[in-house]
PDB file of all heavy atoms in Angstrom:
ATOM      1  N   ILE A 115      -8.991  14.948 -24.008  1.00 92.00           N
ATOM      2  CA  ILE A 115     -10.228  14.664 -24.730  1.00 92.00           C
ATOM      3  C   ILE A 115     -11.051  15.939 -24.797  1.00 92.00           C
ATOM      4  O   ILE A 115     -11.393  16.520 -23.754  1.00 92.00           O
ATOM      5  CB  ILE A 115     -11.038  13.550 -24.045  1.00 92.00           C
ATOM      6  CG1 ILE A 115     -10.240  12.247 -23.999  1.00 92.00           C
ATOM      7  CG2 ILE A 115     -12.370  13.335 -24.764  1.00 92.00           C
ATOM      8  CD1 ILE A 115     -10.944  11.127 -23.259  1.00 92.00           C
ATOM      9  N   PRO A 116     -11.403  16.395 -25.992  1.00 91.00           N
ATOM     10  CA  PRO A 116     -12.205  17.627 -26.110  1.00 91.00           C
ATOM     11  C   PRO A 116     -13.689  17.338 -25.876  1.00 91.00           C
ATOM     12  O   PRO A 116     -14.180  16.240 -26.123  1.00 91.00           O
ATOM     13  CB  PRO A 116     -11.947  18.072 -27.550  1.00 91.00           C
ATOM     14  CG  PRO A 116     -11.647  16.807 -28.289  1.00 91.00           C
ATOM     15  CD  PRO A 116     -10.950  15.896 -27.310  1.00 91.00           C
ATOM     16  N   LYS A 117     -14.386  18.362 -25.392  1.00 90.00           N
ATOM     17  CA  LYS A 117     -15.845  18.312 -25.279  1.00 90.00           C
ATOM     18  C   LYS A 117     -16.460  18.965 -26.521  1.00 90.00           C
ATOM     19  O   LYS A 117     -15.869  19.898 -27.072  1.00 90.00           O
ATOM     20  CB  LYS A 117     -16.314  19.066 -24.031  1.00 90.00           C
ATOM     21  CG  LYS A 117     -15.867  18.493 -22.712  1.00 90.00           C
ATOM     22  CD  LYS A 117     -16.365  19.384 -21.571  1.00 90.00           C
ATOM     23  CE  LYS A 117     -15.900  18.904 -20.216  1.00 90.00           C
ATOM     24  NZ  LYS A 117     -16.329  19.820 -19.133  1.00 90.00           N
ATOM     25  N   PRO A 118     -17.661  18.532 -26.903  1.00 91.00           N
ATOM     26  CA  PRO A 118     -18.433  17.421 -26.335  1.00 91.00           C
ATOM     27  C   PRO A 118     -17.761  16.085 -26.644  1.00 91.00           C
ATOM     28  O   PRO A 118     -17.216  15.899 -27.732  1.00 91.00           O
ATOM     29  CB  PRO A 118     -19.790  17.537 -27.022  1.00 91.00           C
ATOM     30  CG  PRO A 118     -19.491  18.210 -28.320  1.00 91.00           C
ATOM     31  CD  PRO A 118     -18.370  19.162 -28.045  1.00 91.00           C
ATOM     32  N   VAL A 119     -17.789  15.175 -25.679  1.00 93.00           N
ATOM     33  CA  VAL A 119     -17.035  13.942 -25.827  1.00 93.00           C
ATOM     34  C   VAL A 119     -17.743  12.984 -26.777  1.00 93.00           C
ATOM     35  O   VAL A 119     -18.973  12.958 -26.869  1.00 93.00           O
ATOM     36  CB  VAL A 119     -16.821  13.258 -24.460  1.00 93.00           C
ATOM     37  CG1 VAL A 119     -16.063  14.166 -23.506  1.00 93.00           C
ATOM     38  CG2 VAL A 119     -18.137  12.815 -23.844  1.00 93.00           C
ATOM     39  N   ASN A 120     -16.946  12.225 -27.477  1.00 95.00           N
ATOM     40  CA  ASN A 120     -17.433  11.129 -28.312  1.00 95.00           C
ATOM     41  C   ASN A 120     -17.330   9.855 -27.467  1.00 95.00           C
ATOM     42  O   ASN A 120     -16.220   9.448 -27.106  1.00 95.00           O
ATOM     43  CB  ASN A 120     -16.571  11.000 -29.573  1.00 95.00           C
ATOM     44  CG  ASN A 120     -17.025   9.883 -30.490  1.00 95.00           C
ATOM     45  OD1 ASN A 120     -17.349   8.789 -30.046  1.00 95.00           O
ATOM     46  ND2 ASN A 120     -17.014  10.149 -31.796  1.00 95.00           N
ATOM     47  N   PRO A 121     -18.448   9.202 -27.112  1.00 95.00           N
ATOM     48  CA  PRO A 121     -18.392   8.034 -26.220  1.00 95.00           C
ATOM     49  C   PRO A 121     -17.432   6.953 -26.690  1.00 95.00           C
ATOM     50  O   PRO A 121     -16.717   6.359 -25.874  1.00 95.00           O
ATOM     51  CB  PRO A 121     -19.843   7.543 -26.203  1.00 95.00           C
ATOM     52  CG  PRO A 121     -20.651   8.777 -26.456  1.00 95.00           C
ATOM     53  CD  PRO A 121     -19.845   9.575 -27.442  1.00 95.00           C
ATOM     54  N   SER A 122     -17.392   6.676 -27.984  1.00 95.00           N
ATOM     55  CA  SER A 122     -16.494   5.636 -28.489  1.00 95.00           C
ATOM     56  C   SER A 122     -15.035   6.013 -28.264  1.00 95.00           C
ATOM     57  O   SER A 122     -14.202   5.166 -27.898  1.00 95.00           O
ATOM     58  CB  SER A 122     -16.744   5.387 -29.977  1.00 95.00           C
ATOM     59  OG  SER A 122     -18.050   4.900 -30.191  1.00 95.00           O
ATOM     60  N   VAL A 123     -14.713   7.289 -28.478  1.00 95.00           N
ATOM     61  CA  VAL A 123     -13.350   7.765 -28.268  1.00 95.00           C
ATOM     62  C   VAL A 123     -12.991   7.689 -26.786  1.00 95.00           C
ATOM     63  O   VAL A 123     -11.888   7.254 -26.407  1.00 95.00           O
ATOM     64  CB  VAL A 123     -13.184   9.198 -28.795  1.00 95.00           C
ATOM     65  CG1 VAL A 123     -11.845   9.782 -28.351  1.00 95.00           C
ATOM     66  CG2 VAL A 123     -13.299   9.221 -30.317  1.00 95.00           C
ATOM     67  N   VAL A 124     -13.916   8.102 -25.924  1.00 96.00           N
ATOM     68  CA  VAL A 124     -13.658   8.055 -24.492  1.00 96.00           C
ATOM     69  C   VAL A 124     -13.381   6.624 -24.044  1.00 96.00           C
ATOM     70  O   VAL A 124     -12.412   6.356 -23.328  1.00 96.00           O
ATOM     71  CB  VAL A 124     -14.854   8.639 -23.706  1.00 96.00           C
ATOM     72  CG1 VAL A 124     -14.681   8.379 -22.202  1.00 96.00           C
ATOM     73  CG2 VAL A 124     -14.982  10.128 -23.961  1.00 96.00           C
ATOM     74  N   ARG A 125     -14.218   5.686 -24.452  1.00 96.00           N
ATOM     75  CA  ARG A 125     -14.018   4.293 -24.047  1.00 96.00           C
ATOM     76  C   ARG A 125     -12.688   3.751 -24.560  1.00 96.00           C
ATOM     77  O   ARG A 125     -11.967   3.052 -23.833  1.00 96.00           O
ATOM     78  CB  ARG A 125     -15.175   3.432 -24.554  1.00 96.00           C
ATOM     79  CG  ARG A 125     -16.446   3.572 -23.733  1.00 96.00           C
ATOM     80  CD  ARG A 125     -17.464   2.506 -24.107  1.00 96.00           C
ATOM     81  NE  ARG A 125     -18.014   2.735 -25.437  1.00 96.00           N
ATOM     82  CZ  ARG A 125     -19.132   3.413 -25.674  1.00 96.00           C
ATOM     83  NH1 ARG A 125     -19.823   3.942 -24.663  1.00 96.00           N
ATOM     84  NH2 ARG A 125     -19.575   3.571 -26.911  1.00 96.00           N
TER      85      ARG A 125
END
Side-chain angles (χ1 to χ4, degrees):
I115 299 176
K117 296 178 183 177
V119 300
N120 180 317
S122 297
V123 170
V124 171
R125 283 191 290 267

